[in-house]
Amino acid sequence: MRRFTTAFVLGAALLAAPDAGHAAGITENACLRSQRSPGPTACRCAQSLADFGLTRRDQREAARIIAEPDRYLKHRERRASQAFLQRYHAWGAAAERSCRG
């Protein structure tokens, strides 16, 4: 019973202070540094969706596109990038719907 109580108290503390113990992810950091950043809450939400729908490799490339938007054009020109672009677009659409800052 003691172990459950301790876990419950720790979980409640993390929920009360969502930034406690939060390590920003790859896309979240890129989002926060972007000139058009929608803010920390939206960037954190977008990272959660990236964790769910993008591989780590995809996340690194998405972060590069956020930092350097012209990089997207290189992907459009490459046939090998089509699968990545489908995942990237799906992630972007989900973030647009769910992560309003």
Side-chain angles (χ1 to χ4, degrees), residues 15-63:
L15 288 174
D19 288 334
H22 172 76
I26 299 165
T27 57
E28 182 178 356
N29 282 329
C31 177
L32 290 169
R33 287 190 303 258
S34 170
Q35 290 180 2
R36 299 179 351 175
S37 177
T41 302
C43 291
R44 186 175 308 124
C45 174
Q47 178 64 54
S48 294
L49 293 171
D51 289 340
F52 180 73
L54 298 176
T55 65
R56 297 289 287 171
R57 183 177 183 177
D58 287 349
Q59 288 183 39
R60 284 192 301 272
E61 192 55 34

Side-chain angles (χ1 to χ4, degrees), residues 41-94:
T41 302
C43 291
R44 186 175 308 124
C45 174
Q47 178 64 54
S48 294
L49 293 171
D51 289 340
F52 180 73
L54 298 176
T55 65
R56 297 289 287 171
R57 183 177 183 177
D58 287 349
Q59 288 183 39
R60 284 192 301 272
E61 192 55 34
R64 289 180 189 115
I65 290 171
I66 292 168
E68 184 186 334
D70 289 342
R71 190 175 181 95
Y72 175 81
L73 298 175
K74 294 177 186 175
H75 284 287
R76 285 189 42 193
E77 296 169 357
R78 294 177 53 214
R79 253 178 148 352
S81 294
Q82 296 310 305
F84 163 73
L85 287 178
Q86 287 178 339
R87 292 186 301 272
Y88 179 77
H89 284 283
W91 167 68

